[in-house]
Amino acid sequence: MVGIRKIGQIRRFLDRETTTRLMHAFISSRLDYCNSIHVALPKTLLRKLQMIQNSAARLYVCQTKHRDHITPILHELHWLPVKEGVNFKILLLTYKSLHALAPRHIDNVLTPQSLCRNLRSNSQNRLVPAKVKTISYGHRALSYAAPMLWNSLPNYIKDAQSVVLFKRLLKTYLFNKTY
């Protein structure tokens, strides 16, 4: 990305806080923009996006060497990896859809699980994943990925009373799971 190079050219004149803000404004915002559609990307392309985030964190914010491990740096900056950012966005859309805060076309993709018998699992707020025809691409569809991610969440996160609380609990959960 051109933004990383331009920030790198003026990095020696900036303090760490200003550099972090610039990275969020020009790099992270582009990585996060519409990242819910990144669920359909193959791992090779997600890896390229991760490399952009890693170089932004490593070289320009923390000024560490290329061979230094990136996990402690991302942990220190409190940045989720790209794949977890995509999962965060998918789960946020799912939460909003279940609480009638999302666009209607997303509501049509998600189907709540309803059982004909009264079981304990009825209270777990689960979704039914769509049936997929192709293994390689079907698992990347929102209709399959969103229910699978949603069903893997603990109930205390799914039962959050507001979007703000849900986002906070979800980011903490994904952050702790990753690091």
Side-chain angles (χ1 to χ4, degrees), residues 32-47:
D32 291 341
Y33 179 71
C34 288
N35 68 350
S36 59
I37 63 173
H38 293 163
V39 74
L41 289 178
K43 289 180 183 178
T44 55
L45 293 178
L46 277 176
R47 201 172 307 126

Side-chain angles (χ1 to χ4, degrees), residues 77-111:
L77 293 172
H78 212 267
W79 290 1
L80 285 173
V82 172
K83 183 168 177 27
E84 295 303 320
V86 171
N87 291 346
F88 178 84
K89 188 65 70 106
I90 295 290
L91 288 166
L92 180 60
L93 279 173
T94 305
Y95 178 86
K96 287 181 176 182
S97 175
L98 293 173
H99 292 84
L101 300 171
R104 291 184 191 191
H105 65 277
I106 294 177
D107 293 343
N108 297 336
V109 172
L110 303 175
T111 308

Side-chain angles (χ1 to χ4, degrees), residues 1 22 41 45 53 95 106 123 128 140 147 163:
M1 290 182 120
L22 283 173
L41 289 178
L45 293 178
Q53 184 187 44
Y95 178 86
I106 294 177
S123 64
V128 178
R140 297 185 206 162
V163 175

Side-chain angles (χ1 to χ4, degrees), residues 108-149:
N108 297 336
V109 172
L110 303 175
T111 308
Q113 183 180 30
S114 60
L115 300 172
C116 53
R117 297 183 311 179
N118 193 10
L119 301 173
R120 280 182 285 166
S121 60
N122 285 352
S123 64
Q124 290 183 351
N125 197 5
R126 297 178 61 86
L127 297 173
V128 178
K131 299 210 183 295
V132 294
K133 295 180 182 176
T134 60
I135 292 175
S136 58
Y137 296 108
H139 293 283
R140 297 185 206 162
L142 182 67
S143 59
Y144 182 83
M148 294 304 286
L149 289 170

